[in-house]
Protein backbone atom coordinates (compact mmCIF):
# COMPACT_ATOMS: atom_id res chain seq x y z
CA UNK A 1 0.00 0.00 0.00
CA UNK A 2 1.37 3.42 -0.95
CA UNK A 3 1.77 6.26 1.55
CA UNK A 4 -1.13 8.09 -0.15
CA UNK A 5 -3.40 5.07 0.24
CA UNK A 6 -2.45 4.79 3.92
CA UNK A 7 -3.23 8.48 4.45
CA UNK A 8 -6.55 8.10 2.63
CA UNK A 9 -7.56 5.07 4.72
CA UNK A 10 -6.52 6.86 7.91
CA UNK A 11 -8.54 9.92 7.00
CA UNK A 12 -11.68 7.78 6.69
CA UNK A 13 -11.66 7.18 10.45
CA UNK A 14 -11.25 10.82 11.49
CA UNK A 15 -13.29 12.95 9.08
CA UNK A 16 -16.82 13.97 10.24
CA UNK A 17 -18.50 11.67 7.72
CA UNK A 18 -22.16 12.59 8.24
CA UNK A 19 -21.56 16.31 8.63
CA UNK A 20 -19.39 16.37 5.51
CA UNK A 21 -21.95 14.39 3.54
CA UNK A 22 -24.83 16.65 4.59
CA UNK A 23 -22.78 19.75 3.72
CA UNK A 24 -21.96 18.33 0.29
CA UNK A 25 -25.62 17.49 -0.20
CA UNK A 26 -26.65 21.07 0.55
CA UNK A 27 -23.96 22.51 -1.73
CA UNK A 28 -24.99 20.12 -4.50
CA UNK A 29 -28.55 21.43 -4.27
CA UNK A 30 -27.57 25.08 -4.80
CA UNK A 31 -29.25 26.63 -7.84
CA UNK A 32 -27.07 29.69 -8.47
CA UNK A 33 -26.56 29.37 -12.25
CA UNK A 34 -22.87 30.35 -12.39
CA UNK A 35 -21.84 28.09 -9.52
CA UNK A 36 -23.87 25.03 -10.49
CA UNK A 37 -22.82 25.28 -14.17
CA UNK A 38 -19.17 25.56 -13.16
CA UNK A 39 -19.48 22.57 -10.79
CA UNK A 40 -21.24 20.41 -13.38
CA UNK A 41 -18.83 21.21 -16.22
CA UNK A 42 -15.81 20.68 -13.96
CA UNK A 43 -17.20 17.32 -12.85
CA UNK A 44 -17.90 16.26 -16.45
CA UNK A 45 -14.30 17.03 -17.47
CA UNK A 46 -12.75 15.52 -14.34
CA UNK A 47 -14.57 12.19 -14.59
CA UNK A 48 -15.09 12.02 -18.37
CA UNK A 49 -18.87 11.73 -18.07
CA UNK A 50 -20.54 10.63 -21.30
CA UNK A 51 -23.20 13.32 -21.65
CA UNK A 52 -24.25 12.05 -25.08
CA UNK A 53 -26.22 9.37 -23.22
CA UNK A 54 -27.97 11.88 -20.95
CA UNK A 55 -31.47 13.15 -21.64
CA UNK A 56 -30.08 16.70 -21.42
CA UNK A 57 -26.46 17.16 -22.54
CA UNK A 58 -25.67 20.67 -21.28
CA UNK A 59 -25.02 21.87 -17.72
CA UNK A 60 -27.44 24.72 -18.23
CA UNK A 61 -30.36 22.29 -18.55
CA UNK A 62 -30.02 21.15 -14.92
CA UNK A 63 -31.41 23.12 -11.98
CA UNK A 64 -28.67 21.97 -9.58
CA UNK A 65 -25.68 19.65 -9.34
CA UNK A 66 -27.94 17.06 -7.71
CA UNK A 67 -30.31 17.34 -10.66
CA UNK A 68 -27.36 16.65 -12.97
CA UNK A 69 -25.99 13.82 -10.84
CA UNK A 70 -29.30 11.95 -10.91
CA UNK A 71 -29.77 12.73 -14.62
CA UNK A 72 -32.05 10.55 -16.70
CA UNK A 73 -30.75 8.68 -19.74
CA UNK A 74 -32.08 9.14 -23.25
CA UNK A 75 -34.83 6.68 -24.18
CA UNK A 76 -33.39 3.49 -25.67
CA UNK A 77 -29.82 4.05 -24.44
CA UNK A 78 -30.19 1.02 -22.13
CA UNK A 79 -32.35 -2.01 -22.80
CA UNK A 80 -33.45 -4.92 -20.61
CA UNK A 81 -33.66 -8.59 -21.63
CA UNK A 82 -37.06 -9.98 -22.56
CA UNK A 83 -36.10 -13.43 -21.23
CA UNK A 84 -37.68 -13.99 -17.78
CA UNK A 85 -34.88 -16.45 -17.01
CA UNK A 86 -32.33 -13.61 -16.87
CA UNK A 87 -31.32 -11.31 -14.01
CA UNK A 88 -30.37 -7.85 -15.30
CA UNK A 89 -27.89 -5.39 -13.84
CA UNK A 90 -29.80 -2.76 -11.84
CA UNK A 91 -27.11 -0.10 -12.43
CA UNK A 92 -24.26 1.19 -14.53
CA UNK A 93 -21.02 0.47 -12.70
CA UNK A 94 -18.46 -2.24 -12.12
CA UNK A 95 -18.31 -5.62 -10.41
CA UNK A 96 -16.73 -5.18 -7.00
CA UNK A 97 -17.30 -8.83 -6.02
CA UNK A 98 -19.64 -11.55 -7.21
CA UNK A 99 -20.19 -15.14 -6.13
CA UNK A 100 -21.74 -17.43 -3.54
CA UNK A 101 -22.46 -16.80 0.13
CA UNK A 102 -20.63 -19.48 2.12
CA UNK A 103 -23.18 -20.12 4.85
CA UNK A 104 -22.97 -16.62 6.39
CA UNK A 105 -19.76 -15.33 4.78
CA UNK A 106 -19.70 -12.77 1.95
CA UNK A 107 -16.54 -11.73 0.11
CA UNK A 108 -15.75 -8.02 0.42
CA UNK A 109 -12.31 -8.16 -1.23
CA UNK A 110 -9.31 -10.48 -1.33
CA UNK A 111 -8.70 -11.74 2.23
CA UNK A 112 -11.68 -9.73 3.52
CA UNK A 113 -15.08 -11.20 4.37
CA UNK A 114 -18.10 -10.01 6.33
CA UNK A 115 -21.19 -11.75 7.64
CA UNK A 116 -24.65 -11.89 6.12
CA UNK A 117 -26.09 -11.30 9.58
CA UNK A 118 -24.19 -8.02 10.02
CA UNK A 119 -25.17 -6.82 6.54
CA UNK A 120 -28.87 -7.43 7.27
CA UNK A 121 -28.63 -5.95 10.78
CA UNK A 122 -29.41 -9.34 12.35
CA UNK A 123 -32.80 -9.66 10.68
CA UNK A 124 -33.13 -13.41 11.24
CA UNK A 125 -36.29 -13.71 9.14
CA UNK A 126 -34.47 -12.72 5.96
CA UNK A 127 -31.03 -13.86 7.00
CA UNK A 128 -32.17 -17.49 6.78
CA UNK A 129 -33.44 -16.98 3.22
CA UNK A 130 -29.99 -15.97 1.93
CA UNK A 131 -27.68 -18.41 3.73
CA UNK A 132 -25.56 -20.18 1.08
CA UNK A 133 -27.21 -17.99 -1.54
CA UNK A 134 -25.70 -15.73 -4.20
CA UNK A 135 -24.51 -12.13 -3.99
CA UNK A 136 -23.21 -9.38 -6.26
CA UNK A 137 -21.60 -6.13 -5.11
CA UNK A 138 -21.83 -3.42 -7.77
CA UNK A 139 -19.76 -0.23 -7.47
CA UNK A 140 -20.99 3.03 -8.98
CA UNK A 141 -18.14 5.43 -9.81
CA UNK A 142 -18.67 9.20 -9.98
CA UNK A 143 -19.11 9.17 -13.77
CA UNK A 144 -21.88 6.55 -13.74
CA UNK A 145 -25.64 6.92 -14.06
CA UNK A 146 -26.91 6.91 -10.47
CA UNK A 147 -30.45 5.62 -10.64
CA UNK A 148 -31.19 2.06 -9.52
CA UNK A 149 -33.63 -0.20 -11.39
CA UNK A 150 -35.22 -3.57 -10.74
CA UNK A 151 -33.09 -6.57 -11.78
CA UNK A 152 -36.23 -8.75 -12.13
CA UNK A 153 -39.97 -8.62 -11.46
CA UNK A 154 -40.91 -8.35 -7.80
CA UNK A 155 -43.30 -7.04 -5.14
CA UNK A 156 -41.96 -4.87 -2.34
CA UNK A 157 -42.23 -6.53 1.07
CA UNK A 158 -40.09 -4.50 3.45
CA UNK A 159 -37.62 -1.63 3.63
CA UNK A 160 -35.05 -1.41 6.42
CA UNK A 161 -32.88 1.60 7.17
CA UNK A 162 -29.64 0.68 8.97
CA UNK A 163 -27.75 3.68 10.38
CA UNK A 164 -23.97 3.51 10.30
CA UNK A 165 -20.72 5.02 9.11
CA UNK A 166 -20.16 6.63 5.72
CA UNK A 167 -16.79 5.27 4.66
CA UNK A 168 -15.87 5.71 1.02
CA UNK A 169 -16.69 2.54 -0.95
CA UNK A 170 -14.04 2.61 -3.67
CA UNK A 171 -11.67 -0.34 -4.30
CA UNK A 172 -9.04 1.07 -1.91
CA UNK A 173 -11.40 1.11 1.07
CA UNK A 174 -12.96 -2.24 0.11
CA UNK A 175 -9.50 -3.78 0.29
CA UNK A 176 -8.52 -2.16 3.58
CA UNK A 177 -11.52 -1.38 5.84
CA UNK A 178 -12.89 -4.56 7.49
CA UNK A 179 -16.64 -5.13 7.21
CA UNK A 180 -17.04 -1.99 5.10
CA UNK A 181 -20.51 -2.66 3.66
CA UNK A 182 -21.90 -3.94 6.95
CA UNK A 183 -20.64 -0.82 8.76
CA UNK A 184 -21.93 1.84 6.37
CA UNK A 185 -25.42 3.32 6.48
CA UNK A 186 -27.72 1.48 4.09
CA UNK A 187 -31.25 0.87 2.86
CA UNK A 188 -32.31 -2.77 2.44
CA UNK A 189 -35.28 -3.41 0.16
CA UNK A 190 -36.78 -6.91 0.17
CA UNK A 191 -38.90 -8.06 -2.77
CA UNK A 192 -41.05 -11.15 -3.17
CA UNK A 193 -40.24 -12.88 -6.47
CA UNK A 194 -40.88 -16.29 -7.99
CA UNK A 195 -37.47 -17.25 -6.54
CA UNK A 196 -38.51 -16.23 -3.04
CA UNK A 197 -37.23 -13.08 -1.31
CA UNK A 198 -34.58 -11.05 -3.15
CA UNK A 199 -32.73 -8.14 -1.54
CA UNK A 200 -31.52 -4.94 -3.20
CA UNK A 201 -29.27 -3.00 -0.81
CA UNK A 202 -28.38 0.68 -1.29
CA UNK A 203 -25.09 1.34 0.56
CA UNK A 204 -24.27 4.91 1.59
CA UNK A 205 -20.79 6.43 1.42
CA UNK A 206 -18.79 9.58 2.09
CA UNK A 207 -20.45 12.67 0.55
CA UNK A 208 -23.55 10.71 -0.46
CA UNK A 209 -25.97 13.56 0.20
CA UNK A 210 -28.99 11.26 0.34
CA UNK A 211 -30.56 7.97 -0.73
CA UNK A 212 -34.09 8.00 -2.13
CA UNK A 213 -36.54 5.27 -3.13
CA UNK A 214 -39.53 5.41 -5.47
CA UNK A 215 -41.99 4.35 -2.77
CA UNK A 216 -40.87 6.58 0.13
CA UNK A 217 -38.85 9.46 -1.31
CA UNK A 218 -35.68 10.55 0.51
CA UNK A 219 -34.89 8.07 3.31
CA UNK A 220 -31.54 9.49 4.42
CA UNK A 221 -30.70 12.07 5.67
CA UNK A 222 -31.55 12.59 8.42
CA UNK A 223 -29.74 9.61 9.90
CA UNK A 224 -31.47 7.73 12.69
CA UNK A 225 -29.76 6.17 15.70
CA UNK A 226 -31.57 2.82 15.49
CA UNK A 227 -32.55 0.34 12.80
CA UNK A 228 -36.02 1.08 11.38
CA UNK A 229 -38.24 -1.10 9.18
CA UNK A 230 -41.39 -0.46 7.14
CA UNK A 231 -43.72 -3.20 5.94
CA UNK A 232 -45.22 -2.97 2.44
CA UNK A 233 -46.62 -6.45 1.89
CA UNK A 234 -50.20 -5.11 1.97
CA UNK A 235 -49.48 -2.19 -0.38
CA UNK A 236 -49.21 -4.31 -3.54
CA UNK A 237 -46.21 -2.35 -4.84
CA UNK A 238 -45.17 -4.36 -7.90
CA UNK A 239 -42.08 -3.41 -9.89
CA UNK A 240 -41.20 -4.85 -13.27
CA UNK A 241 -37.66 -5.55 -14.45
CA UNK A 242 -36.17 -2.24 -15.53
CA UNK A 243 -38.41 0.03 -13.47
CA UNK A 244 -36.59 2.67 -11.43
CA UNK A 245 -36.66 1.95 -7.69
CA UNK A 246 -34.20 4.48 -6.23
CA UNK A 247 -31.26 6.80 -6.65
CA UNK A 248 -28.08 8.03 -4.98
CA UNK A 249 -27.36 11.73 -4.70
CA UNK A 250 -23.62 11.21 -5.14
CA UNK A 251 -22.33 7.72 -5.70
CA UNK A 252 -22.08 4.47 -3.83
CA UNK A 253 -22.70 0.71 -4.07
CA UNK A 254 -25.60 -1.68 -4.63
CA UNK A 255 -25.60 -5.26 -3.27
CA UNK A 256 -27.93 -7.97 -4.60
CA UNK A 257 -28.82 -11.09 -2.59
CA UNK A 258 -30.56 -14.23 -3.91
CA UNK A 259 -31.63 -17.46 -2.15
CA UNK A 260 -29.59 -20.66 -2.39
CA UNK A 261 -29.61 -22.54 -5.71
CA UNK A 262 -31.74 -19.98 -7.54
CA UNK A 263 -29.30 -18.18 -9.86
CA UNK A 264 -25.99 -18.83 -11.59
CA UNK A 265 -23.78 -15.87 -12.42
CA UNK A 266 -22.70 -15.31 -15.98
CA UNK A 267 -19.00 -14.93 -16.82
CA UNK A 268 -18.28 -11.80 -14.79
CA UNK A 269 -15.25 -11.04 -12.63
CA UNK A 270 -14.00 -8.43 -10.20
CA UNK A 271 -13.43 -5.12 -11.98
CA UNK A 272 -15.60 -5.86 -15.02
CA UNK A 273 -17.64 -2.88 -16.22
CA UNK A 274 -21.39 -3.45 -16.41
CA UNK A 275 -24.30 -1.46 -17.83
CA UNK A 276 -27.86 -1.06 -16.68
CA UNK A 277 -29.96 -3.88 -18.15
CA UNK A 278 -26.98 -6.10 -19.00
CA UNK A 279 -27.62 -9.81 -18.23
CA UNK A 280 -25.61 -10.80 -15.15
CA UNK A 281 -27.19 -14.11 -14.10
CA UNK A 282 -29.44 -16.92 -15.24
CA UNK A 283 -32.30 -18.19 -13.11
CA UNK A 284 -31.95 -21.85 -12.13
CA UNK A 285 -35.11 -22.36 -10.09
CA UNK A 286 -38.80 -21.53 -10.34
Amino acid sequence: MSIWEKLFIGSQYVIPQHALSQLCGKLADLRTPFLKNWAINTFIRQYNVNMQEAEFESAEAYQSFNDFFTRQLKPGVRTFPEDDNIIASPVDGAISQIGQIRHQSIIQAKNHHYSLSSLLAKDSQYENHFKNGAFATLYLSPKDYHRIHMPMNGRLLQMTHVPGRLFSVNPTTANNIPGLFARNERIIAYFETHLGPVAVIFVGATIVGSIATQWSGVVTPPSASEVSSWQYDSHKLHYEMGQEIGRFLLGSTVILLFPENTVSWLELAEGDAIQLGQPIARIEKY
Side-chain angles (χ1 to χ4, degrees):
M1 188 191 309
S2 71
I3 184 64
W4 299 112
E5 288 176 321
K6 290 179 180 179
L7 289 171
F8 175 70
I9 294 299
S11 73
Q12 293 291 301
Y13 290 93
V14 298
I15 61 174
Q17 296 171 336
H18 286 275
L20 177 61
S21 297
Q22 289 180 27
L23 174 62
C24 289
K26 290 179 180 178
L27 292 174
D29 206 33
L30 291 177
R31 303 193 175 203
T32 306
F34 169 76
L35 290 176
K36 65 93 177 174
N37 289 342
W38 173 82
I40 292 171
N41 285 319
T42 300
F43 189 93
I44 290 170
R45 290 193 300 270
Q46 177 68 29
Y47 292 104
N48 194 28
V49 179
N50 183 2
M51 293 302 292
Q52 292 183 347
E53 294 185 335
E55 184 178 19
F56 304 109
E57 297 185 19
S58 68
E60 292 73 18
Y62 298 95
Q63 294 184 347
S64 66
F65 185 87
N66 272 339
D67 190 30
F68 152 74
F69 199 82
T70 57
R71 61 194 176 275
Q72 183 60 280
L73 297 175
K74 290 176 181 174
V77 167
R78 300 286 184 271
T79 58
F80 282 78
E82 297 181 0
D83 188 347
D84 290 337
N85 292 322
I86 293 295
I87 302 295
S89 173
V91 294
D92 280 356
I95 301 292
S96 177
Q97 292 292 332
I98 192 166
Q100 303 303 122
I101 302 168
R102 302 302 180 189
H103 187 60
Q104 276 264 7
S105 182
I106 303 175
I107 299 172
Q108 175 176 302
K110 186 177 181 181
N111 299 322
H112 286 278
H113 296 73
Y114 62 99
S115 74
L116 176 65
S117 178
S118 61
L119 179 66
L120 300 183
K122 299 181 180 180
D123 187 332
S124 58
Q125 175 188 355
Y126 286 104
E127 182 183 325
N128 290 328
H129 285 294
F130 300 116
K131 285 182 180 178
N132 295 308
F135 80 96
T137 305
L138 312 175
Y139 170 65
L140 286 72
S141 72
K143 69 178 178 61
D144 289 321
Y145 168 72
H146 276 81
R147 299 190 185 198
I148 301 97
H149 296 246
M150 279 294 285
M152 64 184 301
N153 300 340
R155 179 172 61 89
L156 182 66
L157 295 175
Q158 177 178 310
M159 178 179 73
T160 299
H161 171 234
V162 185
R165 302 293 298 271
L166 288 174
F167 291 112
S168 174
V169 292
N170 62 31
T172 299
T173 52
N175 280 296
N176 291 282
I177 295 181
L180 173 65
F181 303 119
R183 296 169 72 175
N184 271 16
E185 185 171 20
R186 55 202 179 275
I187 302 297
I188 307 170
Y190 298 101
F191 296 90
E192 181 60 42
T193 76
H194 63 278
L195 302 179
V198 167
V200 181
I201 304 174
F202 308 65
V203 183
T206 307
I207 73 169
V208 174
S210 65
I211 302 172
T213 67
Q214 289 296 94
W215 51 86
S216 64
V218 173
V219 181
T220 168
S223 295
S225 58
E226 298 181 352
V227 175
S228 301
S229 291
W230 295 263
Q231 304 299 321
Y232 293 93
D233 50 347
S234 63
H235 290 62
K236 298 181 179 180
L237 295 176
H238 293 269
Y239 293 91
E240 302 296 314
M241 179 195 288
Q243 277 191 271
E244 182 184 340
I245 57 171
R247 62 187 67 179
F248 291 115
L249 278 77
L250 302 187
S252 194
T253 289
V254 169
I255 299 174
L256 302 178
L257 301 178
F258 296 92
E260 182 179 8
N261 297 325
T262 58
V263 302
S264 58
W265 299 115
L266 302 182
E267 294 184 7
L268 294 166
E270 178 183 355
D272 284 355
I274 53 171
Q275 285 192 331
L276 174 69
Q278 176 183 332
I280 58 173
R282 179 168 291 279
I283 291 173
E284 297 293 342
K285 175 185 176 181
Y286 283 95

